[in-house]
Amino acid sequence: MKTLVLIDVQNDFIPGGALAVPGGDEIIPILNKLQPEFDLVIATQDWHPAEHSSFAANHPGKNEFEVITWQGQEQVLWPVHCVQKSRGARFHKQLEISRIEAIFRKGMNTEIDSYSGFYDNAKLKSTGLAGYLRDKGAKDLYFGGLAADYCVYFSILDALEEGFNAILIEDATRAIDPAGYEEAKQTILQRGGKIIHSKDLF
Ligand code: VGL
Ligand code: ZN
């Protein structure tokens, strides 16, 4: 059971968006071409209330990309992004969505950020994704989407911890910070994940 997990392919993470990931638009044709190769395609969506504590705008005097401690957790302060029902929160219009069987939303609790598609950053709450995938018989999870060094990375770590095989499709993702991404890839490999190129799947 080969499953493709599309992480946060939303307007705000694509050039022109509020938290644009460099080259984020280049992955869309790859994600579209990959989908027919999979038995199951699911997606996640970052889905914040406007009052979310991860937004720098909600911390007067603080700057975007500054790191603070919030509820005992390190928190990067992001530009306002992926606000529920906003255009920025929608999937990019060129993303093929007809094969996406389920969408898991995250980041709704104002007090805690949620990079992984499985759990919030303090692991207080599950999105139900692990249970859904087990029920579907999914074992091999292939990841693409945005951003490689945040939501894709933390989703892969949780997938491995939940006992799935996790494979990053390296040309189907882009990172916010190249140095952070290099470290992330090392950690993925150390924890038993794999890194492949989309051409390995055709
Ligand atoms: C993400 C930062 C904040 C992501 C989401 O999708 O990688 N990054 N919220
Ligand atoms: Zn977010």
Side-chain angles (χ1 to χ4, degrees), residues 87-153:
R87 185 185 171 278
R90 285 188 215 140
F91 291 124
H92 190 269
K93 67 174 184 310
Q94 272 148 17
L95 180 70
E96 178 57 54
I97 56 170
S98 59
R99 289 172 193 271
I100 298 173
E101 285 195 30
I103 299 164
F104 289 80
R105 287 180 171 154
K106 59 191 181 62
M108 282 98 98
N109 179 344
T110 52
E111 295 310 309
I112 183 103
D113 214 352
S114 195
Y115 296 146
S116 159
F118 293 90
Y119 298 96
D120 61 77
N121 292 2
K123 277 209 161 182
L124 299 174
K125 239 177 143 181
S126 158
T127 60
L129 177 55
Y132 171 88
L133 291 171
R134 274 188 206 108
D135 192 53
K136 286 279 186 181
K139 291 199 167 56
D140 301 315
L141 310 183
Y142 292 76
F143 289 84
L146 301 166
D149 45 342
Y150 284 94
C151 292
V152 175
Y153 172 58

Side-chain angles (χ1 to χ4, degrees), residues 131-178:
Y132 171 88
L133 291 171
R134 274 188 206 108
D135 192 53
K136 286 279 186 181
K139 291 199 167 56
D140 301 315
L141 310 183
Y142 292 76
F143 289 84
L146 301 166
D149 45 342
Y150 284 94
C151 292
V152 175
Y153 172 58
F154 286 102
S155 296
I156 288 175
L157 294 191
D158 279 347
L160 292 167
E161 215 167 281
E162 291 291 328
F164 296 100
N165 297 319
I167 303 108
L168 173 63
I169 309 167
E170 148 153 84
D171 53 322
T173 188
R174 290 291 185 279
I176 294 174
D177 171 48

Side-chain angles (χ1 to χ4, degrees), residues 4-17:
L4 181 62
V5 184
L6 304 173
I7 302 287
D8 302 358
V9 189
Q10 295 166 265
N11 289 321
D12 271 341
F13 296 121
I14 293 185

